[in-house]
Amino acid sequence: MTAEGESRPPSRADEVAEAAARAFRLLPAAPRDLDLPAGKGSRSPARRISSDRDTVERDLLKLVLTLVELLRQLMERQALHRVDQGDLTEDQEERLGATLLLLHDRMSELCAEYGLTMEDLNLDLGPLGTLLPPSE
């Protein structure tokens, strides 16, 4: 225990907590809390999933496909990294490429089947930006 008047050095947890507190102080208010300047009209709606009773099935599918697409992109990046490192045989590279291409095609088919585009899957996370990186 420390004596009264002594200050302990900040721990890593204290530093992280202070950094998080600073970051949250910098976040803008939620869109509904912002007052629009006169004459600016209404803001364009954020591209977020709504919970309307009539569209809940489509919205749930959109969320699931968004997560699958995020994982697909992460797997693709990891595969490219492994290819660049030379960790895979030529046969493994071929199978991996074919599998990733098949998964991309199936994602496109599912999006088309439900009237979604790949851009629809890129959810807006507010101040963090969009969930998925921009398409190339």
Side-chain angles (χ1 to χ4, degrees), residues 105-123:
D105 290 345
R106 185 65 181 129
M107 282 294 297
S108 298
E109 290 171 10
L110 284 170
C111 285
E113 184 177 330
Y114 289 96
L116 297 169
T117 64
M118 294 303 267
E119 289 78 31
D120 291 334
L121 304 182
N122 200 1
L123 300 179

Side-chain angles (χ1 to χ4, degrees), residues 16-107:
V16 170
E18 178 58 32
R22 281 194 315 269
F24 282 113
R25 283 192 300 267
L26 296 175
L27 289 177
R32 65 183 169 279
D33 297 336
L34 297 175
D35 292 327
L36 293 173
K40 283 285 189 178
S42 65
R43 293 175 48 130
S44 62
R47 293 178 49 206
R48 297 181 184 195
I49 293 179
S50 65
S51 58
D52 183 12
R53 182 179 298 205
D54 299 329
T55 63
V56 71
E57 182 180 348
R58 185 174 186 270
D59 292 337
L60 181 59
L61 179 72
K62 182 178 175 181
L63 178 61
V64 170
L65 288 178
T66 297
L67 293 174
V68 170
E69 177 61 14
L70 177 63
L71 291 173
R72 187 197 68 78
Q73 288 186 15
L74 291 172
M75 289 184 337
E76 190 174 280
R77 284 192 189 87
Q78 181 65 30
L80 289 174
H81 177 73
R82 289 190 65 195
V83 168
D84 289 343
Q85 294 295 319
D87 292 348
L88 303 173
T89 66
E90 200 170 305
D91 184 48
Q92 289 173 324
E93 287 179 18
E94 286 295 322
R95 283 188 297 143
L96 188 58
T99 302
L100 289 172
L101 185 59
L102 182 65
L103 182 56
H104 183 269
D105 290 345
R106 185 65 181 129
M107 282 294 297

